[in-house]
Amino acid sequence: MGTRAGGSSNGGRRRNGGTTTAAQPAAGAAMRAPDRTDTARDAQSGLSRAQRLELYYYMRLTRSLEERLVNLYRQTKVVGGLFRSLGQEADAVGSAYALDRSKGDILSPLIRNLGSMLVQGARPAEILRQYMAKGDSPTRGRELNIHYGDLVRGFIGQISHLGDMVPVMAGVTLSFKMRGQDRVGLVYVGDGATSTGAFHEGLNFAAVQRCPLVVVVENNGYAYSTPVAKQTAAAQFLDKAAGYGIAGERADGNDVLATYQVTKRAVDRARAGGGVTLIELLTYRRKGHAEHDNQSYVPPGEIEHWERENDPLDRYSRALLASGDVDSQELAAIDARAQQEIDAAAADAEAAPMPVGPDALVGVYADPPAAEMLWFRSGVTSAVAVHERPAGWGTHDA
Amino acid sequence: MGTRAGGSSNGGRRRNGGTTTAAQPAAGAAMRAPDRTDTARDAQSGLSRAQRLELYYYMRLTRSLEERLVNLYRQTKVVGGLFRSLGQEADAVGSAYALDRSKGDILSPLIRNLGSMLVQGARPAEILRQYMAKGDSPTRGRELNIHYGDLVRGFIGQISHLGDMVPVMAGVTLSFKMRGQDRVGLVYVGDGATSTGAFHEGLNFAAVQRCPLVVVVENNGYAYSTPVAKQTAAAQFLDKAAGYGIAGERADGNDVLATYQVTKRAVDRARAGGGVTLIELLTYRRKGHAEHDNQSYVPPGEIEHWERENDPLDRYSRALLASGDVDSQELAAIDARAQQEIDAAAADAEAAPMPVGPDALVGVYADPPAAEMLWFRSGVTSAVAVHERPAGWGTHDA
Amino acid sequence: MPEVTYLEAIRQALFEEMERDPSVFCLGEDIGAYGGAFKVTEGLQARFGEGRVIDTPISEAAIVGAAAGAAHMGMRPVCEMQFIDFISCAYDMLTNYVATARYRAMLPCPMVVRGPSGGYVRGGPFHSQNPEAAFLHTPGLKIVYPATASDAKGLLKAAIRDDDCVLFFEHKYLYRRIKETLPATDHVVPIGKARLAREGRDLSIITYAATVWKALEAAEQLEREDGLSIEVLDLRSLLPMDDDAIVATVRKTNRVLIVHEDTRTGGIAGEITARINERAFEWLDAPVLRVTAADVPLPYAPPLEDFVLPQTADIVRAARQLARY
Amino acid sequence: MPEVTYLEAIRQALFEEMERDPSVFCLGEDIGAYGGAFKVTEGLQARFGEGRVIDTPISEAAIVGAAAGAAHMGMRPVCEMQFIDFISCAYDMLTNYVATARYRAMLPCPMVVRGPSGGYVRGGPFHSQNPEAAFLHTPGLKIVYPATASDAKGLLKAAIRDDDCVLFFEHKYLYRRIKETLPATDHVVPIGKARLAREGRDLSIITYAATVWKALEAAEQLEREDGLSIEVLDLRSLLPMDDDAIVATVRKTNRVLIVHEDTRTGGIAGEITARINERAFEWLDAPVLRVTAADVPLPYAPPLEDFVLPQTADIVRAARQLARY
Ligand SMILES: Cc1ncc(C[n+]2csc(CCOP(=O)(O)OP(=O)(O)O)c2C)c(N)n1
Ligand SMILES: Cc1ncc(C[n+]2csc(CCOP(=O)(O)OP(=O)(O)O)c2C)c(N)n1
Ligand SMILES: [Mg+2]
Ligand SMILES: [Mg+2]
């Protein structure tokens, strides 16, 4: 259960590296406090004080950014649905933190893994622009929410079809192996996504090829409205590992350090040529599948219980304070800094322009570079007459 | 490993029942020898002497029928490829024998499960007609080899796409559960087919629904040319059971009684509401994937080893003779009877007519009953001019 | 009788067929207590129990495959794809197993696969698809795609009673946007018959699903502004297709505009054009033209989606050109 | 230069591209030591090792998905489907993940999916399919389907070098039945260009893959017996399609017969007919007609298969009717 000390050091990790720019202040820069014992390692996790604060920063940034998205959603500034990871921030942040960006590790996030993308260098302004479908968003308005990627920073945009990223990441990591690169891949799947054929085929393929891949099953209790007991008859997802002949571990996904450690072990194993690890992280989805979902299917008190007893941010700030080398002012300063970054990003994103119609035709193929203009559209840039926008036109229901 | 005595009796089984007719003598009728101790139960399997001889009969019938098919294939009377189960007769026959046809149990065979179909009542003449694509074959010449079924006798025709029969059998057995029927289903998959998404989705679905389904993984060492080690990294297929939260057992598939017993336990479990069992049967494919395959990928001596040490028919006849209540003349009589049946069936099948072209248009839908005649074909019954048959036209390569 | 929405009409059909025939049951993701992503199956589980309204794991191939197995045994399953976009995961099972079952193995396979389809709702590339063209060349399947509440109900009832597999595409843009008073009696619309949505003399628009409404809007505008009399044929059934109705409208107006929401290349308009060529070439006074989506994955941002999908203004523009031809 | 078969031409293309570019690798079922079900990849593993010629588990979705992942990272994978019929198991992965990668995520996805396709070989319903129509309406994919050894080699090389995903369908009936002397130089045939297989004045047959040969046979017979001069256009590339070549032949002969082996309804002939309508309607002296398979799953028995698939005699019969129109 991830409580034993990880034998590995985190020496190779350089977080605030060359990818940040003056215009985009380095995430986590606020945590550099040279007058403190920044390099003192935590006995269990092997993480320095600065790194442990960085984990806190990413968790806070995830939560605050999603809260801002809720506001924007209520103001109908978000075009599609809004998907929260409330209560799951530790699992996404802790696991992604075990990758080494300096080595070119690659991660494939799912809809609840905003935190992991932030760790890999995604920026709040990008996320906000994506949700608002802006023309200068990473996908130029073509794809929804956090469905985007950047191979340079090391994350790959998911598609909606659950499970499909597992074969894709099998191939990404197969290429690492073929080229003798010292790189590792990590792919997330939900409890629900484990039921898909693609999950099975991809995991089996990676296992046989001994790809340097970590597969994180985020067991958050539900797939949309479906509880885990209707998704699988297995006692735990961990039990699937043996069926693929791969290593398996299970950890408390709401404990960011435990999550980090278990993933770090798997990453180290992968990098050392030990093949695939399946990690089951136990967590809980406190919000509905998306913002519209009223969670009527959840037994009374369950959400409140998790909120009260097992909020990953509460738990982690308590632990940090209890460790004695962090004080509450420092945490408050991180909170404020995250908030400022989001404020700036939101102003920026709101001001950004929407794409224009003909942009839609560009880039389906490398060659030809643009699709043909429709014959009835030649010379027309706005397709829709004003009266065509019916009442109720807007976000889709699910 | 299937060596403990099955606690269950086989009382409900009525093999030579009402489904046979005067024109089609009951399979196994030869084994009724009332002056012998027919009802004495074997201590381990719980099978009577007559039943144990019936198992022998089906194994022999399988082998001899396939041998006849090889002759016909060499005479180019088989239209497509020929797929052998040489060395696997025990696994197909023993497992299918655990079903109860009188209860309406249903089985989904694969290409190496000719034996299981014979147990369920398929007749040599049907098989031969299928392979020869005759117009009065069970599929009227539409489908290949043993790809056919009969819901009345309790077997369902496979399609080529591996794994697809698992979801289908999940649905068949789901209907048993929904209607409160006392029926069980059995589906075979090869070691190779376990890699498919359909296998995974279907097995998981059946496991969650606790369908009365037995899934037999026939581990015969190869999928076409691919050895098991390239198909899965798991130590054994049995290890997959826990990942689906279902019962699992493994047995020697070349021991017909062990195969019967392990399957019988699973069938009893399913019938008692205990849900899905995954059974791994260990066997060996002594012939190539199909007749054209020269098995160049098999290590030298491997096939000979299995032939010499572990032929299921040799093993079983030795065991029967050693049991003391069967003599070699009886076995020879069964061999002869199987041969006679095949001779009669072959004469019959060879004389049967091919279908005629326009038959092809009938029966895609219940309504409309036939597809439209092509405009350029109206009034034409033979599509091909004689000169269109190029040299080499014939069976496809794989 | 009160007016009911397209969505409510679908729910009524499910209720009534489940009441009528105990072999009808539903399976899909989140269709039970939750009532489905769009609440189409709301109340069904409360009425018919967990045994007949089954929440499944996320596995479209298993949903379709299990439905086929149950259908062989005499059940009449109705599968929900949470979004029709996920039917692609069951493509093998539908085209190879289900579609061929009767022909290759004399196995009856009466089942329905239904789900929310289509765009105009900012769903992006994976929640807006129109999969009809992917299945059109698979003999053994039937495809319907209703545009009205009445047809949604009547065709779903016909689909459930059909002895073969029917793909029932529901346009999610229409779910709550159109309303209608439905016939009181057991309302069944035969599969394979088109519906004349508007009579006209000068030009025919052949279409189906959401674009039926855009075509009707365009027809009104063209009548008002250009004095053109436009006929609108709503195909409703795509497989089988109502050739007689197509030929009749071509003979009448001699000018055909085909409108669909799917991408242009490989969309169903091609098949319709071929049939018109074969059956009514002499009656054509102008080429058969197409108004369709552009050949790109459907993007998410409103200006992009609006630009890619066919709009009323496009139909008007195209019809004017064709009328002048 | 010795003559090489269609199959050997494909193998040469694989060899040469793997020699030329270390990022090219092959993956599929039984393609390694065994050399593939049809021996297309024979000798490849011996030359390039297990690392570049990978035997995979039986999992087409994983093969295609893994290829996509590797392609993102700069590799150029070539996937073999043991029979192209199994591409249906990767339908979701191809249409949703691969085809959209560049557009939705700016992810390059240079890869090839190839495999033995088509009928006339007694393969029955699951070893004879022609899947082109299933992918035609997916922007982001390219589709080629060569009819000659030279095109097989040249198009496969172009496909491997293409920066997007190319579906490369090989007609298994042609594998060992046709031979040709190939150009000695690095022979690349551009994707998107048709080939005029025979020049003629009276009527155009537009076709691709195995039926090119049937069309040529029919053309000879029609010339001999009826004095008709038949043009045969071999499309080679189905997506993108060579509109210019199509329009040119229509303008020249004014009569078009489209021939394909796929089922009639929803086959590619529909799209071609629509394009001809849009671009060359005025040049048509007769309706565009289709000779195709009947709308049934392809049966196994020789008399049935022969009846369902288009034959030379059918083309002759249809061309005569069209010429008389
Ligand atoms: C193949 C497929 N089928 C259905 C869906 C619709 N869908 C989107 S999210 C979701 C639930 C996912 O649950 P889980 O995998 O547990 O992830 P979570 O949302 O809990 O993180 C479903 C059914 C989909 N995206 N893909
Ligand atoms: C989905 C799919 N992919 C590929 C094939 C081609 N194929 C037919 S049999 C076979 C090998 C099957 O091996 P296994 O499942 O072990 O069965 P066995 O032949 O050993 O009984 C393959 C790859 C197929 N039928 N279906
Ligand atoms: Mg979940
Ligand atoms: Mg095998």
Side-chain angles (χ1 to χ4, degrees), chain A residues 190-192 218-224 285:
Chain A
D191 41 279
E218 280 185 291
N219 180 352
N220 65 0
Y222 293 91
Y224 210 146
R285 198 195 73 201

Side-chain angles (χ1 to χ4, degrees), chain D residues 201-254:
Chain D
R201 291 174 319 273
D202 298 328
L203 184 151
S204 301
I205 299 177
I206 301 179
T207 186
Y208 56 93
T211 45
V212 167
W213 298 98
K214 301 210 173 279
L216 289 171
E217 220 175 64
E220 268 172 46
Q221 187 182 339
L222 287 159
E223 171 114 59
R224 211 169 47 235
E225 297 178 9
D226 304 56
L228 283 170
S229 164
I230 309 285
E231 180 143 310
V232 178
L233 187 69
D234 170 7
L235 287 178
R236 302 197 289 199
S237 285
L238 303 177
L239 188 64
M241 214 180 259
D242 190 344
D243 291 326
D244 293 343
I246 293 172
V247 168
T249 195
V250 176
R251 289 196 183 203
K252 187 168 166 196
T253 68
N254 316 112

